[in-house]
Amino acid sequence: MRLLTFAAVAAAPLLLLAACDQLTPAPAPAPDPAPPPPATTTVFGGLDLSQPFTVRGNEPFWAIAVTSATLDYSGVDRPQETAANPGPQVTPSVATFTVTTSLNHPLVVVLTVGPCSDGMSDTVYPLNATVIRPGETLTGCAGA
């Protein structure tokens, strides 16, 4: 009996080693997820187009409030129209927003760099604006 107990005790480490060889190593911990990319900003003519700004003109008076989410067009004797902001298409010389409004009208806002005066005040805006709507082309200025 003693010999059997001694044999079992002596064999135990060998059995443990054999069992360890068959174990699958634990998977490496997953790396931390990458941080989200920073919000993109598009500075054009000194104006950050990712921040709210206004495009405006007069004779006739009109305005487009641009936010990160929407373009809101309004004017004297004109219905209010809203469109989702898809972001601008930007080249070195032109930034363009192309949308379809809540009244299903196409609206194109073209911004070019250069000082712009609205002709009614002493305010000088950093961008010139051309707005193309069905049946008309409006000119004005854009700035914060």
Side-chain angles (χ1 to χ4, degrees), residues 3-81:
L3 186 57
L4 185 63
T5 305
F6 177 75
V9 169
L14 294 174
L15 291 173
L16 286 174
L17 282 174
C20 287
D21 280 345
Q22 294 177 0
L23 290 178
T24 304
D32 290 336
T40 57
T41 60
T42 303
V43 177
F44 182 75
L47 181 65
D48 185 349
L49 300 181
S50 67
Q51 298 298 311
F53 66 95
T54 303
V55 182
R56 60 178 57 97
N58 49 38
E59 297 184 28
F61 289 101
W62 58 271
I64 301 172
V66 179
T67 69
S68 61
T70 61
L71 279 76
D72 294 309
Y73 171 82
S74 62
V76 174
D77 297 329
R78 296 163 186 258
Q80 176 93 19
E81 298 183 58

Side-chain angles (χ1 to χ4, degrees), residues 9 15 22 25 27-28 31 35 38 54 62 75 77 79 83 89 91-92 94 107 110 113 124-125 136 141:
V9 169
L15 291 173
Q22 294 177 0
T54 303
W62 58 271
D77 297 329
Q89 295 295 316
T91 69
V94 177
L107 177 72
V110 180
V113 177
V124 176
Y125 300 92
E136 67 181 337
C141 304

